[in-house]
């Protein structure tokens, strides 16, 4: 298992989580949850997540959820954590008549659905349900695999039913604690003496892993998503030093240590196909390093899988910064993997926001270690994610193209940019939701929307929605900006305005404002109001509304439609 802060360290840290601000998290369980709550609060502090926390009394799940006037709903949570323990399911299973045990998983899944129906009817909060970890009661031995009457068979079936249900229920998220339970092993994750005496089902050694699952999900939903993997080469992606050994003599393939590097590359290839940006940052001769990708028959990764390839003898901090600036992403969205402790420490000390895993010395341990870190958690996968490598390669071409023009205006004009503006619809809503959850820098009010909320907004006559797509001569950016406007008679309010940082300084803001004002004029709207809520990350747009011709009045901004003058932009409507 990876090393995490101990429970005692988290317990101590949890005492600092008392600001009453931040994301609102509620915990409900069918077994005592006080220790789990302390671990979750402590891990939030450890991860830099500001959190306001409420915990229900023991075994009050149905009481809290079925009562619309309960403490749970008065708390107004953003996230509701449900812990339905496998131990309680085992007790219920033993009390189930033999002729009904084959339907036990379906019955349990239906109970979860009923709870979800009550929750979704009363709140937009996301529900985080722990997956059901396996308990082998050894009643059937190996035959348990072949009979639907065994508990372990039913608990496996229950996880599959819940997974299928969650795919269609957008407010339901799964914290896959069963994976950690399997990795650690029940003898370490479960303490029978503690359970018998107190009812706590997880050992204090296991609680940090259960807490990490929750905080990972919340941070992902709050927009902290890692989308770029930067890799060293020698003794990281292959065994050996290509400059000394030659590409023909590197350790790769299915024999010996080479298998460890091949398995690692297979995993990285899967990440790339899922939409993670793969870049190279290596101290090497560029041509020598690229030869491995083009000539070695055992290489899984090829040059076309790499978005940016930097192999030189410069400082890796400077090269990583160049990658970050070219891709126009934040350091916090990057993971850097290098076998050298010196390089890792150098990067950590110079770029603390960037995640640098402490890679084991033995290459055979690389893959398992990295997988346990859950580095690339995500809230959704869209078609645009699957095309991300090509999108960012096109961005690198744009950056390189700038040097051929005398000024920015000439450069933008020659990009031949074309924008398409459309309302929210069934096709774009998943990507719209993803953009609201992931964007932090250009996010006017930092409001996150679920797909369910966006579907509701799109059906209402008192809302105007903009989903803006952009393309130029280098390629298609896809969906790059979202605006939600709430209408009240002849006035309106910008509920939120979000834009991908990939298109900053392209004139997109001006194009969107011009398009919005044209639409508002046609609708007879006379005044538009807006609000900028500053956060630690959106200082980039602190002057946006003023630049868009709004006038500040106390904490709000307003603009008389008749006074707006079309802003210059090199973007043409489709």
């Amino acid at each position: 298992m990876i090393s995490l802060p101990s429970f005692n360290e988290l317990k101590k840290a949890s005492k600092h989580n008392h600001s009453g601000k931040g994301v609102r998290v509620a915990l409900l369980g069918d077994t005592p949850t006080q220790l789990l709550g302390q671990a979750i609060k402590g891990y939030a502090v450890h991860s830099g997540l500001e959190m306001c926390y409420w915990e229900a009394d023991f075994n009050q799940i149905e009481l809290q959820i079925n009562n619309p006037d309960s403490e749970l709903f008065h708390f107004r949570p953003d996230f509701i954590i449900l812990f339905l323990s496998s131990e309680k399911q085992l007790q219920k299973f033993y009390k189930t008549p033999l002729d009904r045990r084959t339907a036990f998983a379906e019955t349990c899944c239906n109970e979860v659905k009923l709870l979800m129906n009550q929750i979704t009817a009363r709140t937009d909060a996301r529900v985080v349900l722990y997956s059901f970890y396996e308990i082998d009661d050894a009643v059937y031995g190996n035959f348990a695999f072949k009979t639907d009457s065994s508990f372990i068979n039913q608990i496996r079936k229950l996880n599959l039913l819940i997974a299928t249900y969650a795919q269609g229920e957008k407010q339901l998220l799964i914290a896959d604690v069963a994976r950690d339970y399997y990795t650690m092993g029940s003898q370490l994750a479960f303490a029978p003496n503690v359970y018998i005496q107190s009812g706590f089902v997880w050992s204090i050694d296991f609680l940090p892993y259960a807490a990490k699952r929750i905080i990972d999900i919340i941070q992902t939903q709050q927009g902290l998503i890692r989308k770029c993997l930067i890799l060293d080469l020698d003794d990281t992606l292959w065994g050996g030093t290509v400059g000394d050994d030659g590409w023909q003599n590197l350790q790769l393939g299915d024999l010996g240590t080479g298998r460890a590097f091949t398995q690692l590359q297979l995993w990285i290839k899967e990440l790339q196909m899922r939409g993670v940006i793969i870049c190279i940052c290596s101290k090497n001769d560029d041509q020598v390093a690229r030869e491995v990708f083009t000539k070695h028959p055992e290489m899984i990764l090829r040059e076309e899988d790499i978005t940016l390839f930097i192999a030189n003898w410069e400082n890796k901090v400077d090269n990583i910064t160049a990658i970050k600036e070219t891709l126009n992403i934040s350091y916090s969205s990057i993971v850097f993997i290098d076998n050298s402790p010196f390089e890792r420490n150098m990067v950590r000390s110079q770029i603390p926001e960037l995640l640098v895993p402490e890679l084991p010395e033995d290459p055979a341990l690389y893959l398992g270690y990295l997988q346990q870190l859950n580095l690339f958690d995500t809230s959704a996968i869209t078609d645009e994610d699957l095309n991300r490598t090509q999108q960012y390669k096109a961005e690198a071409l744009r950056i390189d193209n700038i040097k051929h023009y005398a000024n920015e205006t000439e450069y933008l004009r020659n990009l031949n940019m074309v924008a398409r503006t459309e309302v929210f619809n069934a096709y774009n809503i998943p990507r719209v939701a993803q953009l609201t959850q992931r964007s932090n820098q250009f996010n006017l009010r930092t409001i996150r929307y679920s797909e369910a909320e966006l579907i509701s907004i799109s059906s209402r006559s008192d809302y105007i929605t903009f989903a803006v797509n952009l393309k130029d001569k280098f390629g298609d950016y896809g969906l790059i900006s979202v605006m939600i406007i709430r209408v009240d008679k002849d006035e309106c309010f910008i509920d939120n305005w979000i834009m991908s940082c990939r298109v900053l300084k392209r004139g997109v803001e001006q194009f969107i404002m011009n398009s919005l004002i044209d639409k508002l004029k046609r609708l007879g709207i006379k005044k538009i109001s807006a609000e900028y809520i500053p956060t630690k990350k959106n200082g980039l747009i602190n002057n946006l509304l003023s630049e868009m011709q709004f006038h500040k009045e106390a904490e709000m901004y307003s603009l008389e439609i008749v006074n707006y003058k079309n802003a210059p932009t090199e973007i043409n409507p489709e």
Side-chain angles (χ1 to χ4, degrees):
M1 295 288 287
I2 56 172
S3 177
L4 296 180
S6 69
F7 172 74
N8 286 334
E9 290 172 325
L10 295 180
K11 181 180 178 181
K12 184 178 180 180
S14 71
K15 297 176 182 178
H16 300 287
N17 194 332
H18 48 67
S19 68
K21 300 178 181 179
V23 60
R24 303 178 70 81
V25 178
L27 173 63
L28 301 90
D30 60 6
T31 61
T33 55
Q34 296 96 318
L35 298 183
L36 175 60
Q38 288 178 338
I40 291 172
K41 288 188 290 182
Y43 212 96
V45 174
H46 171 75
S47 303
L49 176 67
E50 197 169 20
M51 185 174 76
C52 181
Y53 177 82
W54 175 85
E55 183 178 329
D57 291 336
F58 161 61
N59 206 22
Q60 283 199 353
I61 294 177
E62 288 80 8
L63 182 65
Q64 291 288 339
I65 291 176
N66 293 331
N67 178 8
D69 199 37
S70 68
E71 294 173 89
L72 170 66
F73 294 115
H74 277 289
F75 176 67
R76 295 178 291 105
D78 299 307
F79 293 88
I80 298 172
I81 304 167
L82 287 183
F83 176 32
L84 303 174
S85 67
S86 293
E87 284 78 8
K88 283 288 185 180
Q89 306 313 308
L90 180 60
Q91 293 176 22
K92 288 165 58 177
F93 182 78
Y94 284 163
K95 294 177 182 179
T96 301
L98 291 175
D99 60 347
R100 292 166 55 188
R101 289 187 178 181
T102 57
F104 181 78
E106 286 87 348
T107 300
C108 292
C109 186
N110 288 334
E111 291 172 356
V112 172
K113 291 179 181 179
L114 289 173
L115 293 175
M116 285 300 303
N117 289 340
Q118 294 290 337
I119 292 171
T120 56
R122 297 182 177 119
T123 177
D124 293 324
R126 277 75 158 176
V127 178
V128 185
L129 175 68
Y130 277 116
S131 60
F132 295 91
Y133 44 96
E134 295 181 7
I135 298 177
D136 184 4
D137 61 358
V139 170
Y140 288 94
N142 289 317
F143 189 69
F145 267 87
K146 296 188 66 174
T147 175
D148 282 339
S149 296
S150 70
F151 176 70
I152 197 168
N153 203 326
Q154 287 297 310
I155 213 73
R156 289 168 179 163
K157 187 175 182 180
L158 176 56
N159 276 325
L160 290 174
L161 290 171
I162 292 293
T164 301
Y165 170 60
Q167 291 174 21
E169 177 48 74
K170 301 302 183 182
Q171 281 181 241
L172 178 60
L173 308 167
I174 306 299
D176 192 10
V177 75
R179 182 163 34 147
D180 299 315
Y181 201 88
Y182 167 81
T183 302
M184 177 174 280
S186 61
Q187 291 186 348
L188 294 177
F190 176 69
N193 55 335
V194 176
Y195 174 63
I196 294 299
Q197 295 298 322
S198 64
F200 293 114
V201 299
W202 288 335
S203 71
I204 60 171
D205 291 330
F206 185 71
L207 288 171
Y209 298 90
K212 181 180 186 298
R213 285 284 171 191
I214 297 298
I215 301 305
D216 282 353
I217 287 177
I218 292 174
Q219 289 190 312
T220 297
Q221 293 292 317
Q222 294 294 102
L224 180 57
I225 293 176
R226 300 183 188 94
K227 56 186 176 183
C228 177
L229 175 60
I230 301 179
L231 297 157
D232 175 43
L233 294 177
D234 294 330
D235 290 318
T236 300
L237 208 55
W238 54 65
T241 303
V242 64
D244 295 333
D245 304 327
W247 66 263
Q248 303 92 332
N249 300 309
L250 297 176
Q251 293 175 309
L252 280 170
D254 289 329
L255 297 175
T257 305
R259 181 179 294 143
F261 296 104
T262 296
Q263 292 298 313
L264 178 64
Q265 287 195 32
L266 284 167
W267 179 67
I268 295 169
K269 177 69 174 181
E270 289 297 312
L271 292 175
Q272 186 269 335
M273 291 192 294
R274 200 214 78 181
V276 175
I277 308 162
I278 309 299
C279 298
I280 299 299
C281 177
S282 173
K283 286 186 176 178
N284 251 309
D285 178 82
D286 183 83
Q287 183 178 352
V288 171
R290 289 177 187 269
E291 274 190 327
V292 187
F293 289 82
T294 58
K295 295 183 177 180
H296 202 297
E298 303 288 357
M299 278 291 289
I300 303 299
L301 294 173
R302 296 295 175 179
E303 274 198 88
E304 57 265 28
D305 300 318
I306 310 302
T307 301
L308 286 176
F309 196 115
I310 298 182
N312 57 35
W313 301 101
E314 303 299 321
N315 186 299
K316 287 194 177 182
V317 171
D318 294 337
N319 285 336
I320 290 171
T321 299
I323 291 173
K324 177 255 185 192
E325 292 178 351
T326 299
L327 298 179
N328 200 8
I329 58 178
S330 65
Y331 284 124
S332 61
S333 66
I334 299 173
V335 177
F336 173 60
I337 295 178
D338 195 309
N339 72 299
S340 167
F342 172 82
E343 297 292 357
R344 293 198 300 265
N345 291 330
M346 174 69 75
V347 172
R348 277 198 204 100
S349 64
Q350 298 297 312
I351 316 176
E353 311 98 300
L354 189 145
L355 180 60
V356 185
E358 190 62 19
L359 213 59
E361 291 185 14
D362 186 351
L365 304 179
Y366 286 0
L367 180 57
Y369 170 78
L370 293 171
Q371 289 173 332
Q372 288 182 48
L373 290 176
N374 192 31
L375 296 168
F376 298 100
D377 211 342
T378 187
S379 56
I381 295 294
T382 67
D383 290 342
E384 287 188 21
D385 291 321
L386 305 181
N387 194 39
R388 186 171 285 147
T389 296
Q390 295 307 315
Q391 287 181 342
Y392 279 94
K393 279 188 173 182
E395 183 62 18
L397 291 174
R398 294 182 188 100
I399 297 296
D400 184 65
N401 192 242
I402 293 176
K403 62 188 179 186
H404 299 298
Y405 296 94
N407 55 63
E408 187 178 76
T409 300
E410 184 183 351
Y411 164 69
L412 293 176
R413 184 177 300 123
N414 280 275
L415 283 177
N416 301 328
M417 291 181 287
V418 176
R420 183 180 77 255
T421 302
E422 56 189 11
V423 299
F424 295 175
N425 55 51
Y427 175 77
N428 64 34
I429 278 179
R431 173 59 178 144
V432 170
Q434 187 185 70
L435 190 62
T436 72
Q437 292 159 9
R438 292 186 175 185
S439 297
N440 294 301
Q441 296 182 74
F442 195 117
N443 196 327
L444 194 62
R445 300 179 72 224
T446 316
I447 298 174
R448 316 289 182 184
Y449 302 88
S450 67
E451 290 187 33
E453 290 171 315
L454 293 171
I455 291 171
S456 175
I457 287 172
S458 68
S459 66
R460 292 176 55 172
S461 60
D462 58 338
Y463 275 90
I464 298 171
T465 60
F466 273 28
V468 183
N469 295 266
L470 183 69
K471 60 184 178 181
D472 63 19
K473 66 181 183 180
F474 291 105
D476 195 335
Y477 289 93
L479 180 72
I480 47 86
S481 188
V482 169
M483 185 183 278
I484 300 174
I485 303 99
R486 190 166 64 245
V487 178
D488 183 13
K489 299 178 181 177
D490 62 351
E491 296 186 2
C492 67
F493 175 74
I494 299 178
D495 203 51
N496 209 2
W497 186 3
I498 300 158
M499 193 167 76
S500 169
C501 289
R502 291 183 293 133
V503 294
L504 290 176
K505 299 181 180 180
R506 299 283 198 275
V508 177
E509 307 96 302
Q510 291 76 13
F511 174 85
I512 292 174
M513 275 301 298
N514 293 347
S515 301
L516 173 63
I517 297 299
D518 285 345
K519 186 175 184 68
L520 296 181
K521 285 180 178 178
R522 295 195 300 270
L523 294 174
I525 305 296
K526 297 179 180 179
K527 182 179 179 180
I528 180 170
S529 300
E531 179 186 30
Y532 165 62
I533 300 178
T535 69
K536 294 178 181 178
K537 296 185 176 181
N538 72 354
L540 176 75
I541 57 170
N542 62 339
N543 293 319
L544 172 69
L545 294 173
S546 298
E547 293 169 357
M548 295 297 110
Q549 304 175 40
F550 284 78
H551 297 283
K552 190 172 184 180
E553 301 171 357
E555 298 302 316
M556 301 295 290
Y557 293 79
S558 65
L559 171 64
E560 299 289 339
I561 302 299
V562 69
N563 294 331
Y564 181 79
K565 297 179 181 178
N566 264 20
T569 178
E570 298 300 332
I571 300 175
N572 296 308
E574 188 174 66

